[in-house]
Amino acid sequence: METTRQQKINRLIQKELGEIFLLQTKGMQGILVSVSAVRISPDLSIAKAYLSIFPSEKGKELLTNIKANVKALRFDLGQRLGKQLRIIPELAFYLDDSLDYLENIDRLLNNDNKNEDKK
C-alpha cells in the first residue's frame, strides 16, 4: 500500500518525465513516448517508470536508448525537482505494453464477431 507521500512523488515524477520525453522526441517525427505510470519504492530510492511508446514497433529500440541514457535523464530530472526532493531516485524504465494487449483483444473479438456473422 502506497503512502500519500509516495503517491504525490509518483505523480510529480510522472509529470516531469513526460515533459522531458516530450522535449526530447520533438525532433523525431512520428514517435510518441508517454509515461503511463511511476512506482517509487517505500524508501524513495528507486522509481520504476512504465513507458508507452508509439509506434510499438520501435519500442524495444527506444527503450534500450533510454536505458543507455538513464544518467542524463536523472540529471535532467534533478534539475527540475531539486527544490522539491532532497534525493533524486534511481530510475528504472520498463515498456508498458498494455495498449498492445488491448489492441490484440479487440482484434480477436472483431475476428470472432465476423466469423459468427458468416455463419
Side-chain angles (χ1 to χ4, degrees), residues 2 7 10 12 16 20-21 24 27-28 38 41 44 46-47 52 58-59 67 71 75 95 97 105 108 113 118:
E2 291 184 335
Q7 291 172 356
N10 286 340
L12 182 66
E16 294 299 333
I20 290 171
F21 285 128
Q24 288 183 350
M28 297 185 279
V38 173
S41 63
L44 308 179
I46 300 172
S52 179
K58 297 184 179 184
K67 285 182 178 180
K71 287 184 181 181
F75 178 78
L95 194 58
D97 58 351
I105 290 175
L108 291 173
N113 287 339
K118 290 180 182 179

Side-chain angles (χ1 to χ4, degrees), residues 7-118:
Q7 291 172 356
K8 287 180 182 180
I9 292 173
N10 286 340
R11 287 191 301 268
L12 182 66
I13 292 174
Q14 181 178 0
K15 177 181 166 275
E16 294 299 333
L17 279 177
E19 290 178 9
I20 290 171
F21 285 128
L22 180 67
L23 290 174
Q24 288 183 350
T25 57
K26 271 187 179 176
M28 297 185 279
Q29 293 293 347
I31 294 178
L32 178 67
V33 178
S34 61
V35 182
S36 58
V38 173
R39 300 282 177 252
I40 195 155
S41 63
D43 64 351
L44 308 179
S45 65
I46 300 172
K48 295 179 181 179
Y50 296 91
L51 304 177
S52 179
I53 300 173
F54 180 81
S56 57
E57 297 83 39
K58 297 184 179 184
K60 299 247 189 239
E61 176 187 343
L62 281 173
L63 188 64
T64 56
N65 288 340
I66 289 169
K67 285 182 178 180
N69 295 320
V70 73
K71 287 184 181 181
L73 286 169
R74 185 173 180 222
F75 178 78
D76 289 344
L77 189 65
Q79 294 294 313
R80 292 169 174 256
L81 299 180
K83 302 291 183 193
Q84 296 164 332
L85 292 177
R86 187 169 37 144
I87 297 173
I88 304 302
E90 294 289 329
L91 299 173
F93 293 100
Y94 299 96
L95 194 58
D96 182 16
D97 58 351
S98 60
L99 291 177
D100 295 335
Y101 182 71
L102 290 174
E103 283 180 18
N104 187 30
I105 290 175
D106 193 39
R107 184 178 45 82
L108 291 173
L109 288 174
N110 286 337
N111 287 341
D112 191 39
N113 287 339
K114 289 178 184 177
N115 291 337
E116 286 183 10
D117 291 341
K118 290 180 182 179

